[in-house]
Amino acid sequence: MSTTVLKLENVSKTYPGVRALDDVGVDCVAGEVHAILGENGSGKSTLLKIASGALKPDAGTVEINGTKLASADPRLANSLSLSTVYQDDSLVRELTVAQNLYLGAPRGTIKFQNIVTWAEAQIDPFDLGISVTQLVGDLTPAQRQFVEIVKALMSAPKVLLLDEPTSTLDIEGVRKLTEIIRRLTADGTGVIYVSHRLPEILELADRVTILRDGVHRGTFPVTGDLAERDLVSLMIGRDIQSEYPAKPGPSGEAPLLTVRDIDGRNFHGVKIDVYAGEILGFAGAEGNGQREALRALVGLEDAHGRVTCRGKRVRTSSPREAFADGVLYLSADRSGESIFSELGLRKNMTLPQLLNFRRWGLLSAPNERDKARRMVEDFGVIAASLEQPIASLSGGNQQKAVLARSFSTDAKILLIDEPTQGVDAGARHDIYKAIRENVSHDASCIINSSDAQELAGICDRVLVFSRGRIIRELTGDAVTEENIVSSFLTARDTNQRNSESSDQSAVGALSNAFKSLLGGSTTWWFPLVLLAVLTLIVGAYAASESHVFLKGINIKHIFLAAAPAGLVAMAQLHVLLVRGLDVSVGSLMSVIVVAASFLIAAKASVLTIVLGVGACLLIGIAAGAINGLLVRYAKINAVITTIAMLSVLQGIALVGRPTAAGLLSRDFTGLLRTKIGFMPVSVIFLIAIAILGDMWLHRSRSGLETKALGFREEAARRNGVRVDWVHIRAYIMAGLLATLAGFFLSSEVGVGHPSVGQSYALTSIAAAVLGGAALSGGRGSFGGALFGAFFFTLMVNVISILGMSASVGIIASGVMTLIAIFLYSGLAEFDRLIRALTRRAANKKILPAK
């Protein structure tokens, strides 16, 4: 008798207004593939998240290899030999392949310095053709999917959960995954398999469980008598006479869209004519240029050539301009490029046409709601209300909403990349019907799909790509799944890309030059180089204007003043890394200065000084911990939380010392001001902290987990990162470093001053950002934060020496901070702007309007 490796009993889960799972039970035995089938929103993904420990059920139990899962914890599930490949991947795209694999490995099993060699050994057997030092974000969706699969298999799991594993794979990728699954089951691994591709289920599965509306509708053996139609009927509870609508064919003789000699990095010499009322398909193995060619038609890929719609040239510099000329693109990356996750269903459906709902210059909400309601009804979008966040809808309903929005515009050509990716069979039928009904006598559609059966079912014509070129055109009865697949599998085209024109090369070269120059968002040394250049410029100017600037006493003063600024900037960096913010650090410094005036007072003994230092450190740790706990567990916005803490701390400082008073121990302040020549020892202390901090951040698992949390919290959590602790730890470390900054500040003022630290809050943010930190989290360096603080200290010194107004320093700080945010956080937008401008210039030169 086979061993049960996974068992879920009486599992229920309710979201606001939705019963996702209702008393569901599923089991999987060793060596079998157990498929879970159901429409979008039926509860499949929720079930897998509960099984994997990523989600806590309201009721029911999960048993893995005979052991009950005690709590919803992916690390615990993984320790019981269960791995998961999620539908929305758990990879951190800003990290490398090696770093992502390392995050998925058990803690302490791999030395950080060996991760590249180790990662290569993990990925080489799968022949993915990628480097482990590549950023995951630079990989294709199919490559990312296989990296996710490799990560899941590293622990040799006894239970493997696969949630839509083939949604981004082409036919070769599906074949490769099928081989992997068969090897796993032969070795006794139990596989839970969720997919909307019914042929895969019939080929791979031993049993199939049907979910509908969160209810278990039955478990059935997969036998030779079971057909796709049977599965669809079980899944949606009704028969579908025909999955694909009829093909009436083109309704016009003249092309509606004409594409001539489009060339880009991955496609060459593309020529297309699309007629009104026609659905044209793009086919080919993944990576053969078909997706890039489609995106180039709206300016999302660099290309040159001519595109016209109804005889008028289409501007391909940007999607906005292409849309204005009648061409609209719908991306395969639904969450990243098609929906606005934070907005509700209504706004997502009406956003492109808000101007149509104006009344006396204002938005008419009733008109907007009426339009959204009609679109919901016409396209069969299922949602609790128009205000429901679109991210909470199933994939199929999200796709219907985006299609409804797209077809409600005046676009004549709709480009759809993977129209039913991650969509169930019932929703696919609705989407195919909607596309066909909305392709009228004066509109047409181009579809790129990795599903040859889908292309054969819905398209009037199909163009097959191989090595970036169109190698075959299928029309009429020749548009079959067999012909589509055989066309790109047997292609012999070996032509290489034509050399691009100097104008097109100029487009890419100019954009790449800017990207290299402004690579602060990904290149660790760029902020340091920028700061070094700025420091030299400011220092040279100051030295030329004042003989005092380079004197030893002034240099010593700059270094002493940089100590508290550098420490508080590094404190701020800790919370910026986890996408937080702490505006209370300045007030905490004031409290430490005041506390030190009592606890480390003049003539205090060594023991008293030590105890006083310890007490102050505890104050800083407590303030940081309270901030972290409120942000993390009370879910209060970080800015609001730390503003409240700022007020509390400032009040405490004023209660302790209403005015500046209370001398500090000279032994303590003298120790902090110790110098060798004109060089304070504090400089060495700060540099040591910065070096150790960067070693921790960039060369340890703990630091990598911190960056992963800042980049993508959900992915970090799925990889077993203790996200709550990492987040709280960042605020504790910020409090600790701000306390040290307060000590050095107290050595500067010598008395208990209640407001001396106020100006450091904003300066710490500015210094950290100028040093390379991103407000979006995950990026930055302690060395950069320290250098940024030194630069701001230098600016204050120069302004003072040259007799300038203090307002100049404030303005300069603000301008430099904005520039840093632009360079390090807005680089992607800036690069797109450069590409659009250079592409537009090239188009005007190469393609004069007729």
PDB file of all heavy atoms in Angstrom, residues 68 92 114 176 220 238 346 399 405 407 467 545 584 607 618 622 719-720 753 779 824:
ATOM      1  N   LYS A  68       1.806  16.529  11.493  1.00  0.00           N
ATOM      2  CA  LYS A  68       0.925  17.677  11.315  1.00  0.00           C
ATOM      3  C   LYS A  68       1.723  18.975  11.252  1.00  0.00           C
ATOM      4  O   LYS A  68       2.676  19.166  12.017  1.00  0.00           O
ATOM      5  CB  LYS A  68      -0.102  17.739  12.442  1.00  0.00           C
ATOM      6  CG  LYS A  68      -1.219  16.703  12.312  1.00  0.00           C
ATOM      7  CD  LYS A  68      -2.314  16.935  13.328  1.00  0.00           C
ATOM      8  CE  LYS A  68      -3.451  15.925  13.132  1.00  0.00           C
ATOM      9  NZ  LYS A  68      -4.552  16.136  14.104  1.00  0.00           N
ATOM     10  N   VAL A  92      13.208  36.774  -6.054  1.00  0.00           N
ATOM     11  CA  VAL A  92      13.460  38.204  -5.892  1.00  0.00           C
ATOM     12  C   VAL A  92      14.198  38.662  -7.147  1.00  0.00           C
ATOM     13  O   VAL A  92      15.362  38.324  -7.352  1.00  0.00           O
ATOM     14  CB  VAL A  92      14.304  38.489  -4.632  1.00  0.00           C
ATOM     15  CG1 VAL A  92      14.513  39.989  -4.458  1.00  0.00           C
ATOM     16  CG2 VAL A  92      13.631  37.899  -3.400  1.00  0.00           C
ATOM     17  N   ASN A 114      30.762  30.582  -1.256  1.00  0.00           N
ATOM     18  CA  ASN A 114      30.772  29.501  -2.247  1.00  0.00           C
ATOM     19  C   ASN A 114      29.481  29.420  -3.058  1.00  0.00           C
ATOM     20  O   ASN A 114      29.278  28.448  -3.784  1.00  0.00           O
ATOM     21  CB  ASN A 114      30.969  28.147  -1.533  1.00  0.00           C
ATOM     22  CG  ASN A 114      32.302  28.071  -0.809  1.00  0.00           C
ATOM     23  OD1 ASN A 114      33.261  28.728  -1.190  1.00  0.00           O
ATOM     24  ND2 ASN A 114      32.343  27.286   0.250  1.00  0.00           N
ATOM     25  N   LYS A 176      10.391  19.283 -21.061  1.00  0.00           N
ATOM     26  CA  LYS A 176      11.450  19.162 -20.068  1.00  0.00           C
ATOM     27  C   LYS A 176      10.872  18.988 -18.663  1.00  0.00           C
ATOM     28  O   LYS A 176      11.341  18.150 -17.881  1.00  0.00           O
ATOM     29  CB  LYS A 176      12.349  20.400 -20.116  1.00  0.00           C
ATOM     30  CG  LYS A 176      13.560  20.336 -19.216  1.00  0.00           C
ATOM     31  CD  LYS A 176      14.387  21.619 -19.311  1.00  0.00           C
ATOM     32  CE  LYS A 176      15.021  21.789 -20.663  1.00  0.00           C
ATOM     33  NZ  LYS A 176      15.949  22.958 -20.705  1.00  0.00           N
ATOM     34  N   PHE A 220     -11.324  11.766  -9.011  1.00  0.00           N
ATOM     35  CA  PHE A 220     -11.547  10.762 -10.038  1.00  0.00           C
ATOM     36  C   PHE A 220     -10.214  10.224 -10.563  1.00  0.00           C
ATOM     37  O   PHE A 220      -9.258  10.988 -10.707  1.00  0.00           O
ATOM     38  CB  PHE A 220     -12.345  11.348 -11.206  1.00  0.00           C
ATOM     39  CG  PHE A 220     -13.594  12.079 -10.780  1.00  0.00           C
ATOM     40  CD1 PHE A 220     -13.566  13.446 -10.517  1.00  0.00           C
ATOM     41  CD2 PHE A 220     -14.787  11.397 -10.613  1.00  0.00           C
ATOM     42  CE1 PHE A 220     -14.710  14.121 -10.122  1.00  0.00           C
ATOM     43  CE2 PHE A 220     -15.939  12.060 -10.217  1.00  0.00           C
ATOM     44  CZ  PHE A 220     -15.903  13.434  -9.969  1.00  0.00           C
ATOM     45  N   ARG A 238     -21.170  22.443 -16.274  1.00  0.00           N
ATOM     46  CA  ARG A 238     -22.052  22.488 -17.443  1.00  0.00           C
ATOM     47  C   ARG A 238     -21.244  22.062 -18.666  1.00  0.00           C
ATOM     48  O   ARG A 238     -20.019  22.062 -18.652  1.00  0.00           O
ATOM     49  CB  ARG A 238     -22.599  23.893 -17.670  1.00  0.00           C
ATOM     50  CG  ARG A 238     -21.543  24.911 -18.106  1.00  0.00           C
ATOM     51  CD  ARG A 238     -22.136  26.299 -18.287  1.00  0.00           C
ATOM     52  NE  ARG A 238     -21.217  27.212 -18.922  1.00  0.00           N
ATOM     53  CZ  ARG A 238     -20.274  27.909 -18.307  1.00  0.00           C
ATOM     54  NH1 ARG A 238     -20.142  27.769 -17.000  1.00  0.00           N
ATOM     55  NH2 ARG A 238     -19.474  28.720 -18.961  1.00  0.00           N
ATOM     56  N   ARG A 346     -13.339  48.946 -10.597  1.00  0.00           N
ATOM     57  CA  ARG A 346     -13.903  50.061 -11.366  1.00  0.00           C
ATOM     58  C   ARG A 346     -12.818  50.929 -11.972  1.00  0.00           C
ATOM     59  O   ARG A 346     -12.846  51.220 -13.178  1.00  0.00           O
ATOM     60  CB  ARG A 346     -14.812  50.901 -10.450  1.00  0.00           C
ATOM     61  CG  ARG A 346     -15.287  52.218 -11.085  1.00  0.00           C
ATOM     62  CD  ARG A 346     -16.361  52.872 -10.223  1.00  0.00           C
ATOM     63  NE  ARG A 346     -15.870  53.191  -8.884  1.00  0.00           N
ATOM     64  CZ  ARG A 346     -15.380  54.387  -8.540  1.00  0.00           C
ATOM     65  NH1 ARG A 346     -15.307  55.366  -9.428  1.00  0.00           N
ATOM     66  NH2 ARG A 346     -14.974  54.606  -7.305  1.00  0.00           N
ATOM     67  N   GLN A 399      -8.137  39.090 -16.195  1.00  0.00           N
ATOM     68  CA  GLN A 399      -7.938  39.158 -17.636  1.00  0.00           C
ATOM     69  C   GLN A 399      -9.197  39.660 -18.336  1.00  0.00           C
ATOM     70  O   GLN A 399      -9.106  40.457 -19.286  1.00  0.00           O
ATOM     71  CB  GLN A 399      -7.538  37.780 -18.177  1.00  0.00           C
ATOM     72  CG  GLN A 399      -7.084  37.780 -19.627  1.00  0.00           C
ATOM     73  CD  GLN A 399      -5.698  38.360 -19.806  1.00  0.00           C
ATOM     74  OE1 GLN A 399      -5.174  39.024 -18.924  1.00  0.00           O
ATOM     75  NE2 GLN A 399      -5.103  38.112 -20.948  1.00  0.00           N
ATOM     76  N   ARG A 405     -11.640  46.642 -20.618  1.00  0.00           N
ATOM     77  CA  ARG A 405     -11.061  47.985 -20.692  1.00  0.00           C
ATOM     78  C   ARG A 405     -10.467  48.248 -22.071  1.00  0.00           C
ATOM     79  O   ARG A 405     -10.661  49.318 -22.647  1.00  0.00           O
ATOM     80  CB  ARG A 405      -9.965  48.112 -19.624  1.00  0.00           C
ATOM     81  CG  ARG A 405      -9.242  49.436 -19.607  1.00  0.00           C
ATOM     82  CD  ARG A 405      -8.141  49.407 -18.563  1.00  0.00           C
ATOM     83  NE  ARG A 405      -7.007  48.601 -18.979  1.00  0.00           N
ATOM     84  CZ  ARG A 405      -6.118  48.073 -18.137  1.00  0.00           C
ATOM     85  NH1 ARG A 405      -6.276  48.227 -16.836  1.00  0.00           N
ATOM     86  NH2 ARG A 405      -5.109  47.371 -18.586  1.00  0.00           N
ATOM     87  N   PHE A 407     -11.135  46.750 -25.039  1.00  0.00           N
ATOM     88  CA  PHE A 407     -12.106  46.797 -26.132  1.00  0.00           C
ATOM     89  C   PHE A 407     -13.030  48.002 -26.042  1.00  0.00           C
ATOM     90  O   PHE A 407     -13.721  48.322 -27.011  1.00  0.00           O
ATOM     91  CB  PHE A 407     -12.921  45.511 -26.168  1.00  0.00           C
ATOM     92  CG  PHE A 407     -12.196  44.362 -26.806  1.00  0.00           C
ATOM     93  CD1 PHE A 407     -11.976  43.194 -26.106  1.00  0.00           C
ATOM     94  CD2 PHE A 407     -11.717  44.454 -28.107  1.00  0.00           C
ATOM     95  CE1 PHE A 407     -11.302  42.127 -26.691  1.00  0.00           C
ATOM     96  CE2 PHE A 407     -11.041  43.393 -28.695  1.00  0.00           C
ATOM     97  CZ  PHE A 407     -10.831  42.233 -27.990  1.00  0.00           C
ATOM     98  N   ARG A 467      14.175  31.920 -34.967  1.00  0.00           N
ATOM     99  CA  ARG A 467      15.385  32.745 -34.970  1.00  0.00           C
ATOM    100  C   ARG A 467      15.092  34.188 -35.392  1.00  0.00           C
ATOM    101  O   ARG A 467      15.848  34.807 -36.128  1.00  0.00           O
ATOM    102  CB  ARG A 467      16.450  32.138 -35.878  1.00  0.00           C
ATOM    103  CG  ARG A 467      16.966  30.785 -35.401  1.00  0.00           C
ATOM    104  CD  ARG A 467      18.077  30.270 -36.328  1.00  0.00           C
ATOM    105  NE  ARG A 467      18.666  29.065 -35.797  1.00  0.00           N
ATOM    106  CZ  ARG A 467      18.228  27.841 -36.075  1.00  0.00           C
ATOM    107  NH1 ARG A 467      17.175  27.690 -36.871  1.00  0.00           N
ATOM    108  NH2 ARG A 467      18.819  26.782 -35.562  1.00  0.00           N
ATOM    109  N   GLU A 545      38.652  79.697  -2.320  1.00  0.00           N
ATOM    110  CA  GLU A 545      37.990  80.894  -1.807  1.00  0.00           C
ATOM    111  C   GLU A 545      38.390  81.247  -0.382  1.00  0.00           C
ATOM    112  O   GLU A 545      38.202  82.379   0.053  1.00  0.00           O
ATOM    113  CB  GLU A 545      36.464  80.702  -1.866  1.00  0.00           C
ATOM    114  CG  GLU A 545      35.895  80.591  -3.265  1.00  0.00           C
ATOM    115  CD  GLU A 545      36.027  81.881  -4.052  1.00  0.00           C
ATOM    116  OE1 GLU A 545      35.814  82.961  -3.452  1.00  0.00           O
ATOM    117  OE2 GLU A 545      36.363  81.818  -5.253  1.00  0.00           O
ATOM    118  N   SER A 584      12.314  59.547  13.662  1.00  0.00           N
ATOM    119  CA  SER A 584      12.481  59.811  15.099  1.00  0.00           C
ATOM    120  C   SER A 584      13.938  59.751  15.531  1.00  0.00           C
ATOM    121  O   SER A 584      14.230  59.991  16.704  1.00  0.00           O
ATOM    122  CB  SER A 584      11.666  58.810  15.921  1.00  0.00           C
ATOM    123  OG  SER A 584      12.205  57.496  15.809  1.00  0.00           O
ATOM    124  N   LEU A 607      32.719  53.238  36.637  1.00  0.00           N
ATOM    125  CA  LEU A 607      31.584  52.322  36.725  1.00  0.00           C
ATOM    126  C   LEU A 607      30.282  53.031  36.364  1.00  0.00           C
ATOM    127  O   LEU A 607      29.434  52.489  35.636  1.00  0.00           O
ATOM    128  CB  LEU A 607      31.494  51.735  38.137  1.00  0.00           C
ATOM    129  CG  LEU A 607      30.308  50.784  38.377  1.00  0.00           C
ATOM    130  CD1 LEU A 607      30.373  49.578  37.435  1.00  0.00           C
ATOM    131  CD2 LEU A 607      30.285  50.325  39.839  1.00  0.00           C
ATOM    132  N   LEU A 618      20.128  50.893  26.108  1.00  0.00           N
ATOM    133  CA  LEU A 618      18.821  50.258  26.305  1.00  0.00           C
ATOM    134  C   LEU A 618      17.692  51.185  25.869  1.00  0.00           C
ATOM    135  O   LEU A 618      16.673  50.732  25.324  1.00  0.00           O
ATOM    136  CB  LEU A 618      18.646  49.857  27.765  1.00  0.00           C
ATOM    137  CG  LEU A 618      19.493  48.673  28.242  1.00  0.00           C
ATOM    138  CD1 LEU A 618      19.292  48.437  29.745  1.00  0.00           C
ATOM    139  CD2 LEU A 618      19.127  47.408  27.469  1.00  0.00           C
ATOM    140  N   ALA A 622      15.095  50.156  23.028  1.00  0.00           N
ATOM    141  CA  ALA A 622      13.662  50.159  23.336  1.00  0.00           C
ATOM    142  C   ALA A 622      12.890  51.017  22.338  1.00  0.00           C
ATOM    143  O   ALA A 622      11.821  50.615  21.847  1.00  0.00           O
ATOM    144  CB  ALA A 622      13.438  50.669  24.763  1.00  0.00           C
ATOM    145  N   ASN A 719      10.533  32.067   1.009  1.00  0.00           N
ATOM    146  CA  ASN A 719      11.836  31.418   1.070  1.00  0.00           C
ATOM    147  C   ASN A 719      12.276  31.150   2.500  1.00  0.00           C
ATOM    148  O   ASN A 719      13.431  30.779   2.727  1.00  0.00           O
ATOM    149  CB  ASN A 719      12.878  32.285   0.355  1.00  0.00           C
ATOM    150  CG  ASN A 719      12.835  32.121  -1.145  1.00  0.00           C
ATOM    151  OD1 ASN A 719      13.246  31.087  -1.673  1.00  0.00           O
ATOM    152  ND2 ASN A 719      12.328  33.120  -1.843  1.00  0.00           N
ATOM    153  N   GLY A 720      11.374  31.320   3.431  1.00  0.00           N
ATOM    154  CA  GLY A 720      11.695  30.992   4.815  1.00  0.00           C
ATOM    155  C   GLY A 720      12.341  32.106   5.604  1.00  0.00           C
ATOM    156  O   GLY A 720      12.791  31.885   6.734  1.00  0.00           O
ATOM    157  N   HIS A 753      21.424  69.155  25.958  1.00  0.00           N
ATOM    158  CA  HIS A 753      20.642  70.070  25.123  1.00  0.00           C
ATOM    159  C   HIS A 753      19.407  69.314  24.600  1.00  0.00           C
ATOM    160  O   HIS A 753      19.541  68.290  23.926  1.00  0.00           O
ATOM    161  CB  HIS A 753      21.493  70.560  23.958  1.00  0.00           C
ATOM    162  CG  HIS A 753      20.944  71.773  23.271  1.00  0.00           C
ATOM    163  ND1 HIS A 753      19.689  71.791  22.708  1.00  0.00           N
ATOM    164  CD2 HIS A 753      21.478  73.012  23.058  1.00  0.00           C
ATOM    165  CE1 HIS A 753      19.473  72.980  22.168  1.00  0.00           C
ATOM    166  NE2 HIS A 753      20.539  73.739  22.375  1.00  0.00           N
ATOM    167  N   ARG A 779      18.141  48.501  -1.506  1.00  0.00           N
ATOM    168  CA  ARG A 779      19.397  49.001  -2.064  1.00  0.00           C
ATOM    169  C   ARG A 779      20.084  49.947  -1.089  1.00  0.00           C
ATOM    170  O   ARG A 779      19.445  50.605  -0.277  1.00  0.00           O
ATOM    171  CB  ARG A 779      19.142  49.752  -3.378  1.00  0.00           C
ATOM    172  CG  ARG A 779      18.446  48.927  -4.428  1.00  0.00           C
ATOM    173  CD  ARG A 779      18.540  49.596  -5.788  1.00  0.00           C
ATOM    174  NE  ARG A 779      17.658  48.985  -6.757  1.00  0.00           N
ATOM    175  CZ  ARG A 779      17.903  47.850  -7.387  1.00  0.00           C
ATOM    176  NH1 ARG A 779      19.022  47.195  -7.141  1.00  0.00           N
ATOM    177  NH2 ARG A 779      17.040  47.354  -8.262  1.00  0.00           N
ATOM    178  N   TYR A 824      19.028  57.056  -8.483  1.00  0.00           N
ATOM    179  CA  TYR A 824      19.056  55.693  -7.972  1.00  0.00           C
ATOM    180  C   TYR A 824      17.700  55.003  -8.012  1.00  0.00           C
ATOM    181  O   TYR A 824      17.629  53.794  -8.145  1.00  0.00           O
ATOM    182  CB  TYR A 824      19.575  55.684  -6.526  1.00  0.00           C
ATOM    183  CG  TYR A 824      20.872  56.424  -6.344  1.00  0.00           C
ATOM    184  CD1 TYR A 824      21.161  57.094  -5.168  1.00  0.00           C
ATOM    185  CD2 TYR A 824      21.814  56.483  -7.371  1.00  0.00           C
ATOM    186  CE1 TYR A 824      22.350  57.781  -5.003  1.00  0.00           C
ATOM    187  CE2 TYR A 824      22.999  57.175  -7.207  1.00  0.00           C
ATOM    188  CZ  TYR A 824      23.257  57.824  -6.026  1.00  0.00           C
ATOM    189  OH  TYR A 824      24.423  58.503  -5.863  1.00  0.00           O
TER     190      TYR A 824
END
